[in-house]
Amino acid sequence: MADAHAQHHDYHLVDPSPWPFLGSVGALVTAFGGVCLMEYLKGGSFPIFGFNIANPWLFFIGIAIVLYTMFAWWSDTIKEAHEGHHTRVVSLHLRYGMIMFIASEVMFFVAWFWAYFDASLFAGEAQNYARHAFTGGVWPPKGMEVLDPFHLPLYNTVILLLSGTTVTWAHHSLIHGDRKGLINGLVLTVGLGMLFTMVQAYEYMHAPFGFKDSIYGATFFMATGFHGFHVIIGTIFLLVCLIRAMKGDFTPKQHFGFEAAAWYWHFVDVVWLFLFASIYVWGSVGAVIEGH
């Protein structure tokens, strides 16, 4: 009945999916398990019905449920695409979903940028005695040694800008039916994404400040680290697209999975440019640069 309906309309009726419910359960277990994990790490207790559940297992069980839901749900989405169920309306709604997802990610970064600019622009605010004591009334905080923005950060900027070019090349090749160009472009983009992560990890290991040393370190690592996490997710996203491309998936007219990955990757690129300009370059003005 649903198939007959789909032949005459833009909508396709499918059986109710279990994945939204299971994903919600996984998110709840992960959030609750995160509280238990934090209690466990600080040596506290979390007694419920006489049992101390302050342990890491609930958190990892929740993560496992979420990861399984992601794999199964997206597998079903790919299967439905191959079966021809992605009508014009379904494809449009997939795009709406991806746009809303990226918009929600933008708001995450708004929070980190807000924290950074609030601390940096009002470092000497008289009403905030604790902040003034930590910063000395200046930004970067008095005596803080910061990273050279034109060393590893600039190198990573070039890497991400280049990766934006290669993913665009891959998309252009796909539209014109050049599968070899699609695969080569994705291979380069995934490789550049991995290189960015390795450079950032090296930068973190040699940073002259820590997360809990000052408000500068906290805002720096939250903003750049959250972006680094998005680079890892985007690299995995593109790696899956590469595997699918090598298997023969995607056509010039139907390739939203790859298109969504490209949108996400460009979003990551744009956020990094803001991070580089505001946190690395502007945030180092007047500070002691590491190694100088």
Side-chain angles (χ1 to χ4, degrees):
M1 192 70 178
D3 292 334
H5 183 81
Q7 292 174 3
H8 299 91
H9 299 277
D10 250 349
Y11 297 94
H12 183 80
L13 303 178
V14 296
D15 294 332
S17 172
W19 308 125
F21 174 75
L22 186 61
S24 300
V25 171
L28 177 62
V29 173
T30 302
F32 188 73
V35 176
C36 298
L37 175 62
M38 287 185 281
E39 286 292 333
Y40 170 79
L41 292 176
K42 73 177 187 179
S45 63
F46 197 162
I48 292 183
F49 301 118
F51 296 96
N52 180 21
I53 61 172
N55 60 71
W57 299 113
L58 197 60
F59 174 77
F60 292 114
I61 290 172
I63 291 292
I65 295 173
V66 170
L67 292 177
Y68 175 73
T69 301
M70 292 165 60
F71 175 80
W73 197 345
W74 287 331
S75 295
D76 281 357
T77 303
I78 293 171
K79 180 181 177 182
E80 290 168 2
H82 289 168
E83 293 175 351
H85 299 331
H86 284 184
T87 62
R88 286 181 299 171
V89 171
V90 172
S91 297
L92 179 64
H93 289 175
L94 287 172
R95 283 168 170 76
Y96 283 160
M98 191 64 195
I99 290 171
M100 294 302 294
F101 170 69
I102 291 177
S104 69
E105 295 295 294
V106 169
M107 298 313 295
F108 267 119
F109 282 102
V110 166
W112 308 137
F113 278 112
W114 191 313
Y116 176 79
F117 282 113
D118 180 66
S120 58
L121 293 174
F122 304 101
E125 186 178 12
Q127 294 178 343
N128 199 325
Y129 304 109
R131 178 184 298 174
H132 190 282
F134 275 108
T135 64
V138 295
W139 191 267
K142 190 175 181 179
M144 173 67 66
E145 186 178 359
V146 302
L147 294 165
D148 183 356
F150 300 109
H151 185 218
L152 293 180
L154 179 61
Y155 182 46
N156 260 348
T157 302
V158 174
I159 290 173
L160 273 191
L161 290 177
L162 184 58
S163 72
T165 303
T166 56
V167 77
T168 302
W169 168 38
H171 190 205
H172 186 271
S173 299
L174 173 57
I175 292 174
H176 290 82
D178 180 8
R179 187 160 296 275
K180 183 178 179 181
L182 166 65
I183 293 174
N184 289 340
L186 281 173
V187 167
L188 288 174
T189 307
V190 170
L192 289 168
M194 292 179 176
L195 180 60
F196 176 94
T197 300
M198 289 187 289
V199 171
Q200 189 173 50
Y202 180 86
E203 176 188 278
Y204 278 10
M205 288 187 292
H206 294 82
F209 52 85
F211 183 93
K212 60 182 180 179
D213 290 346
S214 68
I215 191 172
Y216 181 90
T219 53
F220 173 89
F221 283 111
M222 282 305 305
T224 61
F226 196 66
H227 174 270
F229 173 73
H230 280 70
V231 171
I232 294 172
I233 296 299
T235 303
I236 296 172
F237 202 170
L238 289 167
L239 179 61
V240 172
C241 290
L242 172 60
I243 295 171
R244 292 186 62 194
M246 295 174 69
K247 291 173 60 178
D249 287 5
F250 304 131
T251 65
K253 291 186 177 180
Q254 188 176 25
H255 55 267
F256 177 68
F258 171 69
E259 195 173 2
W263 289 359
Y264 188 85
W265 197 251
H266 288 309
F267 157 70
V268 167
D269 284 353
V270 171
V271 171
W272 175 258
L273 292 178
F274 279 103
L275 285 169
F276 177 70
S278 60
I279 294 181
Y280 285 100
V281 178
W282 180 76
S284 65
V285 174
V288 178
I289 305 297
E290 180 191 24
H292 287 236

